[in-house]
Amino acid sequence: MKPNSGTLVINIMNGGKAEAYEGVYQCTARNERGAAISNNIVVRPSRSPLWTKEKLEPNHVREGDSLVLHCRPPVGLPPPIIFWMDNAFQRLPQSERVSQGLNGDLYFSNVQPEDTREDYICYARFNHTQTIQQKQPISVKVFSMDSLNDTIAANLSDTDIFGAKPVTERQPVLLTPTGSTSTKVELRGNVLLLECIAAGLPTPVIRWIKEGGELPANRTFFENFKKTLKIIDVSEADSGNYKCIARNALGSVHHVISVTVKAAPYWITAPRNLVLSPGEDGTLICRANGNPKPSISWLANGVPIAIAPEDPSRKVDGDTIIFSHVQERSSAVYQCNASNEYGYLLANAFVNVLAEPPRILTPANKLYQVIADSPALLDCAYFGSPKPEIEWFKGVKGSILRGNEYVFHDNGTLEIPVAQKNNAGTYTCVARNELGKIQNEVQLEIKDPTMIIKQPEYKVIQRYGQVSFECIIKHDSTLLPTVTWLKDNDELPDDERFLVGKDNLTIMNVTDKDDGTYTCIVNTTLDSVSASAVLTVVARPNPPFDLELTGQLERSIDLSWLPGDENNSPVTSFVIEFEDALHEPGVWRYQTEVPGSQTTAQLKLSPYVNYSFRVIAVNRIGRSQPSEPSEQYLTKSASPDENPANVQGIGSEPDNLVITWEPLKGFQSNGPGLQYKVSWRQKDVDDEWTSVIVANVSKYIVSGTPTFVPYEVKVQALNDLGYAPEPSEVIGHSGEDLPMVAPGNVQVHVINSTLAKVHWDPVPLKSVRGHLQGYKVYYWKVQSLSRRSRRHVEKKILTFRGNKTFGMLPGLEPYSSYKLNVRVVNGKGEGPASPDKVFKTPEGVPSSPSFLKITNPTLDSLTLEWGSPTHPNGVLTSYTLKFQPINNTHELGPLVEIRIPANESSLILKNLNYSTRYKFYFNAQTSVGSGSQITEEAVTIMDEVQPLYPRIRNVTTAAAETYANISWEYEGPDHANFYVEYGVAGTMASRQVDIATQGWFIGLMCAVALLILILLIVCFIRRNKGGKYPVKEKEDAHADPEIQPMKEDDGTFGEYSDAEDHKPLKKGSRTPSDRTVKKEDSDDSLVDYGEGVNGQFNEDGSFIGQYSGKKEKEPAEGNESSEAPSPVNAMNSFV
């Protein structure tokens, strides 16, 4: 016995015989509660006995007879495995004619001469002892009818009449089993093997049927060339009559096997352990079935219950023990034995009478985490006797859980089939019986499910490209997901081309082996989700191969090939190219193209070409590499099939004709000695063809031709074998010359002030002396009739194609004098000009006046000034002025119209309403009509006041990237010039700070202060003496050059000039009407101004301007001066 174990070990390795331990063993386990026993264990030693000695006679058999070679192996334990071999340890071949039976014998349905041999050996393999026993070899000799007759004839006289019968066919006869019927008993659950082996010539065929039923499907198998019927896992339903039928061409024989399926006992209800509390009732049930019906017997603690100690609470009723009002002394182990002649069953059942208060085995405060919308199972493993009742509560003071929302399992588990967020919290399990009560709390957390919100998508990518699969997830914030990528349900290849990012997989430099299914798997501790996508790698197809030429003819050949790999993109077509090794070695030319489903093509050939072919596959991605060239094929020579194309006859000089053509390519020559026969004759003249034969050229010049006459031209190919077919004729012309005459009878019809129509007579075609291309009209403006001023003559040209004899001249200026002439144009150039034709355009309406200004507003008058139209387009006859008042609600009053003579340029309107806004409309007229008008608005003043000196207030700025808008309010007289000073932002402030902290500046200021103090002392002394100090004269004599007073005559500010170089401002620019200054208002370079502060620029080159200056003082006593910029803060200025 092993220590602390019930295992019994029998060791015969160190001596002893196995036979000494042969017998039936049973194990009994016993304690104070009872005794349990095991099934009977039979121990038998394995045996592999030797074959008994026997003398084997040779078997002499006539051809066609049946034969059985008996094996009769020794009885072993377990039974041996039988097989037949020869002396070379090669298995003997078996067939429908020769086969081994279930008993190990070798059956011959009919013998043949080739069955003759002396080494039929039966082997028995005993697997348990790992030994093989061999029977003595059996000899078989088969006599054919011919050899048997020869032997008999040699031993008999000629007078004896004898002859062995030839081999005759026989109907089937069963070799095993014998007779017409037999029986077979098999146990339930085993494998049923039925065998039929028949003799006969020809060899019979075996067929199986079940009388009154069908062979069981999925459990029926045929072995040994259908001679063995095998039914696995048989049951009582498989009992019945099975018929085997052996049939050949001469008849049939059958045998019926009556099968009975018996059964060792098997459980229907095995007894189960029973836990009872004192005073409870219970039952032990032991039900078994079998064939025949098993008998049931009971044991208590291994002792038959009939002789076991009495127990008043126990009553045996056949296969059931009934317990009533048990006590603790009723605890015992009961054995149920079900047995019949084929076996027995034994089961132990422990009846345990306990009195235990409830115990909960689930750990306290156990945390359960589940995903929302999935089941939640909360355990409450318990123990107690009597069996406790289980109740569940939610929360500390919650009510008992009931209803369809929950499932309560017998083992105490609470199931929430579809857990939601509101199911989270604390749950209390209470177990109680009559001996006590106990409770336990568990925690439930509901987590958001993990989702793939952006799944990988199907991708098609070209080879060597880059592809990326996205896998964007959403998960519960308390769960840590891990993302794993798989390829074809396996790990990703260990390749640096695969880059796994946070939410994607990128494959660089994609190759064909990357083709497959990629899966993104997201795992958390609670759930797992996945999504897959297929990657298809496409590429240009592989080149075709195995090109083969067949069906060679003079003008055609068949080409076949095998297509290469399509690389996941179907081949749409095959392009076939050829090389002419005779004329253009190394040059491949297009031959034809066939659909992608075709792998053969019949190709047309030309004579005198040494062909090689290659094939290129084409798919959606592109073209494959060319295939290897085919073998060469040289076609025979022939005369040319075609003549040169694109034959033309065009003269390059007035006295020649140049004949050109496209020469034939080498493979078009059809043979050696390619030449061209060039022929020409003048058209419409009864003249013979003139011909020359040339070679290796594509042009021939015919000299001494008349100017521009038509010729008939043709070019014919020929070689050493003959001429090509007769060529077609083309019409050419000899060379052109410049036209000889100008168009005549040029007439001009003026349609309106901007459009005229010109007519001319066509030039005779003979005088054109070339291909008429059209006419050109040259026209130009001589002068304007309104200003009588001449200007530079700019000629304009209009070309009219073809044989047109008129044209329109648009875009003319009104009231102007023009000239024109007309010229004919051919391929050589222009002919002479026609005499100049003069024409005039009538007057038109003028443009708007160049400006309208309104000045000098008073209480009841306004002064209007204007400029004449830029384009009067005629003689001005007058101006028209219209005006009307505008009230505070922008409504217009009555319109007043005034006609003004054309020679006036100003007008004073009187008798207007004071403090009223007027709108003015002003235009000019000619005799044709009124031109476009110009508008302006002005306001009469409210009261007579003294003129104000200029004042600017409320300055605002708005800076953009390359300019700034500056706005202000202005008070003062009209026609003021404005000056805007600006500088680089931050420059002035920084310079002020820097200077103020310099030692030299502090010293200078101290010196100035000291001088002022001395001056004050001197003045004080002199004043006390009664004298006067001419301060005014000193100031006038030493005016500060940096301060420029306002000019009194026009009220404008004085210009600022640099103290060093005194460069004046380059250019002035009037500010726009909205009083803003933009970048485009000055074209000057900021550096050109040369001011004291250097301009500064941003990184992009834009100027940073800062607009500064001291706020102007209020006017005092009607006088005001402009304060100059500080020399410290020197500013750039522009007008």
Side-chain angles (χ1 to χ4, degrees):
M1 292 280 290
K2 281 189 176 181
N4 303 318
S5 171
T7 302
L8 176 64
V9 178
I10 301 174
N11 190 351
I12 60 173
M13 300 298 292
N14 298 323
K17 294 183 178 182
E19 289 79 1
Y21 298 97
E22 185 173 3
V24 178
Y25 293 78
Q26 189 173 43
C27 173
T28 301
R30 188 185 308 275
N31 64 10
E32 69 274 9
R33 290 283 185 171
I37 61 176
S38 70
N39 287 329
N40 289 341
I41 302 171
V42 179
V43 176
R44 299 178 63 185
S46 62
R47 296 182 177 90
S48 54
L50 297 176
W51 241 291
T52 59
K53 295 291 185 179
E54 57 180 332
K55 185 179 181 181
L56 301 178
E57 297 293 336
N59 292 275
H60 298 278
V61 190
R62 187 175 57 177
E63 181 182 357
D65 288 350
S66 62
L67 174 65
V68 178
L69 300 182
H70 298 288
C71 181
R72 299 189 183 97
V75 177
L77 188 67
I81 298 173
I82 307 301
F83 52 93
W84 289 80
M85 300 178 72
D86 59 15
N87 277 331
F89 297 101
Q90 298 296 318
R91 285 185 178 269
L92 296 176
Q94 298 189 22
S95 62
E96 291 182 343
R97 185 178 65 84
V98 181
S99 61
Q100 178 182 315
L102 294 176
N103 62 356
D105 293 346
L106 189 63
Y107 293 87
F108 293 79
S109 295
N110 52 79
V111 295
Q112 302 293 332
E114 60 266 21
D115 296 329
T116 298
R117 63 190 308 155
E118 296 180 352
D119 56 351
Y120 286 92
I121 306 173
C122 180
Y123 289 86
R125 184 174 64 206
F126 298 90
N127 284 342
H128 200 72
T129 60
Q130 296 183 353
T131 58
I132 297 177
Q133 301 292 346
Q134 174 183 339
K135 187 181 177 75
Q136 290 294 323
I138 301 174
S139 175
V140 174
K141 186 172 184 180
V142 179
F143 293 97
S144 64
M145 291 299 100
D146 293 338
S147 62
L148 186 59
N149 284 335
D150 292 341
T151 301
I152 296 173
N155 296 320
L156 296 177
S157 63
D158 293 339
T159 58
D160 294 328
I161 300 174
F162 179 85
K165 296 182 179 179
V167 177
T168 59
E169 295 181 342
R170 300 187 311 278
Q171 64 182 15
V173 175
L174 287 176
L175 298 176
T176 182
T178 59
S180 60
T181 62
S182 62
T183 60
K184 174 76 172 178
V185 176
E186 191 58 73
L187 291 181
R188 180 179 184 268
N190 287 353
V191 176
L192 173 64
L193 294 174
L194 303 179
E195 182 180 55
C196 270
I197 300 177
L201 186 66
T203 302
V205 176
I206 305 299
R207 186 168 65 91
W208 292 89
I209 61 173
K210 182 180 181 183
E211 294 181 346
E214 298 290 337
L215 294 174
N218 303 323
R219 293 189 295 118
T220 300
F221 302 92
F222 297 100
E223 297 179 347
N224 198 17
F225 309 99
K226 290 191 176 183
K227 298 174 185 179
T228 303
L229 171 65
K230 178 179 178 181
I231 301 177
I232 62 174
D233 193 23
V234 295
S235 64
E236 289 84 346
D238 295 322
S239 297
N241 293 330
Y242 292 81
K243 179 188 288 187
C244 72
I245 304 170
R247 184 186 303 276
N248 68 7
L250 301 181
S252 65
V253 65
H254 68 268
H255 183 92
V256 176
I257 305 174
S258 179
V259 175
T260 302
V261 178
K262 299 291 185 177
Y266 57 91
W267 290 118
I268 296 176
T269 304
R272 302 178 63 181
N273 294 337
L274 190 61
V275 179
L276 299 175
S277 300
E280 283 188 334
D281 302 334
T283 58
L284 282 180
I285 300 175
C286 177
R287 291 179 183 160
N289 200 0
N291 187 9
K293 182 75 174 178
S295 61
I296 304 295
S297 61
W298 288 95
L299 297 89
N301 294 327
V303 178
I305 201 165
I307 62 175
E310 288 274 342
D311 185 353
S313 66
R314 177 182 67 211
K315 178 183 178 183
V316 178
D317 183 10
D319 59 4
T320 303
I321 299 178
I322 303 172
F323 296 95
S324 303
H325 198 68
V326 297
Q327 300 301 319
E328 287 192 43
R329 65 176 180 272
S330 300
S331 295
V333 179
Y334 291 86
Q335 291 82 33
C336 173
N337 186 312
S339 60
N340 65 10
E341 59 186 282
Y342 297 108
Y344 78 99
L345 295 173
L346 179 68
N348 291 277
F350 179 36
V351 177
N352 192 7
V353 180
L354 287 176
E356 293 284 342
R359 282 184 291 165
I360 294 181
L361 307 179
T362 300
N365 292 315
K366 184 176 181 180
L367 176 62
Y368 293 90
Q369 295 178 328
V370 298
I371 297 297
D373 297 327
S374 61
L377 297 173
L378 309 182
D379 292 334
C380 184
Y382 64 90
F383 178 78
S385 183
K387 182 180 178 180
E389 294 182 358
I390 303 298
E391 294 178 331
W392 280 93
F393 300 84
K394 183 177 182 185
V396 180
K397 298 181 180 180
S399 58
I400 187 171
L401 299 180
R402 292 187 177 89
N404 297 329
E405 185 180 354
Y406 305 98
V407 177
F408 302 95
H409 294 273
D410 291 340
N411 63 355
T413 298
L414 170 65
E415 178 181 355
I416 305 174
V418 183
Q420 302 294 334
K421 285 285 189 179
N422 57 3
N423 294 127
T426 301
Y427 287 81
T428 303
C429 167
V430 178
R432 60 165 55 90
N433 65 11
E434 59 190 41
L435 300 179
K437 167 187 171 185
I438 192 171
Q439 68 180 35
N440 186 38
E441 291 182 355
V442 295
Q443 307 295 325
L444 176 61
E445 292 182 356
I446 308 298
K447 305 294 185 180
D448 291 327
T450 304
M451 296 184 293
I452 300 178
I453 59 178
K454 184 67 179 297
Q455 298 186 355
E457 298 177 347
Y458 173 73
K459 295 291 180 70
V460 177
I461 189 70
Q462 291 190 29
R463 187 189 295 164
Y464 309 125
Q466 175 179 323
V467 67
S468 182
F469 291 106
E470 288 187 295
C471 185
I472 300 176
I473 64 174
K474 178 182 178 183
H475 61 90
D476 192 283
S477 59
T478 63
L479 299 178
L480 183 62
T482 58
V483 179
T484 305
W485 287 90
L486 302 179
K487 179 182 183 294
D488 295 331
N489 295 322
D490 203 353
E491 292 183 356
L492 290 178
D494 185 12
D495 193 331
E496 61 184 7
R497 297 182 300 107
F498 288 78
L499 305 177
V500 178
K502 177 183 177 182
D503 51 14
N504 61 9
L505 168 65
T506 301
I507 307 175
M508 312 289 291
N509 197 22
V510 173
T511 62
D512 292 337
K513 65 181 181 181
D514 299 329
D515 201 276
T517 301
Y518 290 83
T519 304
C520 167
I521 302 177
V522 184
N523 290 309
T524 67
T525 54
L526 298 181
D527 63 347
S528 176
V529 292
S530 65
S532 299
V534 175
L535 172 63
T536 300
V537 180
V538 297
R540 296 183 301 172
N542 292 349
F545 58 95
D546 281 355
L547 273 65
E548 184 179 3
L549 297 177
T550 57
Q552 290 89 342
L553 300 175
E554 289 187 2
R555 291 300 182 101
S556 69
I557 197 169
D558 293 331
L559 173 66
S560 62
W561 61 91
L562 294 178
D565 194 337
E566 293 182 337
N567 293 324
N568 293 325
S569 182
V571 172
T572 57
S573 62
F574 291 100
V575 176
I576 302 173
E577 297 178 338
F578 72 93
E579 176 197 26
D580 182 2
L582 189 63
H583 302 96
E584 296 177 310
V587 178
W588 290 90
R589 297 191 179 277
Y590 174 84
Q591 172 81 20
T592 187
E593 187 170 352
V594 298
S597 58
Q598 190 171 325
T599 58
T600 60
Q602 187 177 55
L603 308 178
K604 294 182 178 179
L605 305 180
S606 296
Y608 195 54
V609 176
N610 192 7
Y611 281 101
S612 289
F613 299 97
R614 69 183 186 184
V615 183
I616 299 171
V618 182
N619 64 7
R620 186 176 59 87
I621 309 304
R623 296 161 63 102
S624 73
Q625 293 294 323
S627 67
E628 291 296 323
S630 70
E631 59 180 309
Q632 291 186 342
Y633 178 62
L634 177 63
T635 55
K636 295 181 180 180
S637 301
S639 59
D641 293 327
E642 51 190 314
N643 288 302
N646 198 21
V647 178
Q648 292 182 333
I650 302 174
S652 60
E653 298 295 336
D655 60 349
N656 74 5
L657 172 66
V658 180
I659 302 174
T660 60
W661 61 91
E662 287 184 9
L664 298 181
K665 294 180 171 53
F667 66 90
Q668 295 175 310
S669 64
N670 287 6
L674 177 65
Q675 294 178 305
Y676 302 100
K677 180 181 178 182
V678 183
S679 305
W680 69 91
R681 68 180 178 184
Q682 189 171 339
K683 191 175 184 297
D684 301 328
V685 176
D686 190 10
D687 201 354
E688 295 293 331
W689 288 93
T690 303
S691 300
V692 295
I693 294 179
V694 297
N696 300 321
V697 296
S698 60
K699 179 175 70 173
Y700 183 79
I701 301 176
V702 180
S703 302
T705 62
T707 300
F708 196 68
V709 295
Y711 277 86
E712 293 176 316
V713 178
K714 60 183 179 180
V715 179
Q716 186 178 22
L718 68 152
N719 62 18
D720 292 348
L721 281 80
Y723 284 85
E726 184 67 22
S728 57
E729 302 168 3
V730 297
I731 303 299
H733 287 81
S734 57
E736 299 180 74
D737 205 348
L738 292 176
M740 300 174 58
V741 299
N745 192 24
V746 177
Q747 301 291 330
V748 180
H749 172 59
V750 178
I751 297 176
N752 55 40
S753 59
T754 60
L755 180 66
K757 185 176 183 180
V758 59
H759 294 262
W760 62 87
D761 290 341
V763 174
L765 292 180
K766 187 173 182 179
S767 300
V768 174
R769 300 205 296 179
H771 295 285
L772 175 64
Q773 296 190 359
Y775 292 88
K776 286 187 178 180
V777 177
Y778 288 75
Y779 66 101
W780 62 95
K781 179 180 175 181
V782 179
Q783 67 177 10
S784 173
L785 299 178
S786 59
R787 299 183 180 180
R788 301 296 180 184
S789 60
R790 295 182 178 272
R791 63 177 183 177
H792 172 69
V793 176
E794 180 182 356
K795 291 188 177 182
K796 298 181 180 179
I797 304 173
L798 285 178
T799 301
F800 300 95
R801 299 290 178 186
N803 197 22
K804 293 190 67 173
T805 58
F806 67 91
M808 308 298 289
L809 305 181
L812 303 176
E813 294 185 12
Y815 205 50
S816 299
S817 176
Y818 282 87
K819 285 185 179 180
L820 65 77
N821 58 52
V822 184
R823 309 175 192 194
V824 67
V825 182
N826 67 8
K828 193 73 172 178
E830 300 178 4
S834 66
D836 291 348
K837 189 72 175 181
V838 179
F839 67 96
K840 298 178 180 180
T841 55
E843 291 187 78
V845 296
S847 62
S848 62
S850 57
F851 67 89
L852 173 63
K853 294 193 298 183
I854 303 174
T855 60
N856 300 327
T858 65
L859 288 173
D860 61 351
S861 69
L862 293 169
T863 300
L864 278 68
E865 298 177 358
W866 61 84
S868 59
T870 305
H871 301 286
N873 294 337
V875 179
L876 296 181
T877 58
S878 62
Y879 293 100
T880 299
L881 174 66
K882 299 178 183 179
F883 63 93
Q884 57 189 148
I886 306 173
N887 61 17
N888 292 335
T889 60
H890 301 285
E891 296 178 352
L892 299 175
L895 188 66
V896 179
E897 181 177 337
I898 300 176
R899 184 78 68 170
I900 304 170
N903 57 353
E904 297 291 336
S905 61
S906 63
L907 174 67
I908 299 176
L909 284 178
K910 299 182 178 180
N911 299 322
L912 301 177
N913 298 329
Y914 72 93
S915 187
T916 302
R917 176 175 294 277
Y918 287 90
K919 186 168 187 178
F920 297 90
Y921 311 90
F922 193 71
N923 60 10
Q925 289 86 28
T926 63
S927 60
V928 177
S930 299
S932 56
Q933 62 185 12
I934 186 173
T935 63
E936 190 60 81
E937 293 184 9
V939 182
T940 56
I941 64 176
M942 181 179 293
D943 195 5
E944 293 286 352
V945 295
Q946 293 295 325
L948 295 176
Y949 291 102
R951 185 169 66 174
I952 296 175
R953 57 173 48 179
N954 297 335
V955 178
T956 60
T957 63
E961 183 176 356
T962 57
Y963 66 90
N965 284 338
I966 308 163
S967 304
W968 60 83
E969 295 180 2
Y970 167 72
E971 296 178 0
D974 293 338
H975 309 299
N977 293 328
F978 297 96
Y979 298 84
V980 177
E981 298 178 345
Y982 61 93
V984 179
T987 302
M988 294 175 292
S990 64
R991 291 186 61 177
Q992 285 177 331
V993 173
D994 292 342
I995 295 174
T997 57
Q998 298 296 318
W1000 65 268
F1001 182 79
I1002 297 173
L1004 178 62
M1005 292 299 101
C1006 292
V1008 171
L1010 180 60
L1011 290 175
I1012 293 174
L1013 179 60
I1014 294 172
L1015 181 61
L1016 291 175
I1017 293 172
V1018 172
C1019 291
F1020 181 77
I1021 294 173
R1022 300 223 19 205
R1023 185 170 183 179
N1024 288 342
K1025 290 181 179 182
K1028 294 183 179 179
Y1029 181 74
V1031 177
K1032 175 65 176 174
E1033 288 79 6
K1034 291 286 185 178
E1035 291 177 351
D1036 294 338
H1038 303 283
D1040 189 345
E1042 296 295 323
I1043 301 175
Q1044 302 281 335
M1046 182 187 294
K1047 297 180 182 180
E1048 295 182 357
D1049 54 347
D1050 60 3
T1052 61
F1053 292 89
E1055 291 185 355
Y1056 171 81
S1057 62
D1058 186 64
E1060 295 179 2
D1061 56 9
H1062 304 285
K1063 290 183 181 179
L1065 293 173
K1066 294 281 185 179
K1067 186 188 295 184
S1069 175
R1070 185 180 302 276
T1071 58
S1073 60
D1074 63 352
R1075 295 185 174 124
T1076 63
V1077 177
K1078 298 184 179 179
K1079 176 182 177 183
E1080 55 268 27
D1081 292 334
S1082 174
D1083 295 329
D1084 300 322
S1085 168
L1086 295 173
V1087 179
D1088 291 340
Y1089 289 109
E1091 303 297 345
V1093 177
N1094 294 329
Q1096 296 186 10
F1097 294 82
N1098 279 334
E1099 294 179 355
D1100 60 354
S1102 60
F1103 182 81
I1104 305 175
Q1106 175 178 327
Y1107 307 95
S1108 63
K1110 296 180 181 179
K1111 186 176 181 181
E1112 296 179 353
K1113 299 178 181 179
E1114 294 293 330
E1117 300 179 359
N1119 295 322
E1120 184 179 45
S1121 64
S1122 171
E1123 182 172 337
S1126 168
V1128 175
N1129 299 337
M1131 308 294 290
N1132 294 316
S1133 304
F1134 69 93
V1135 179

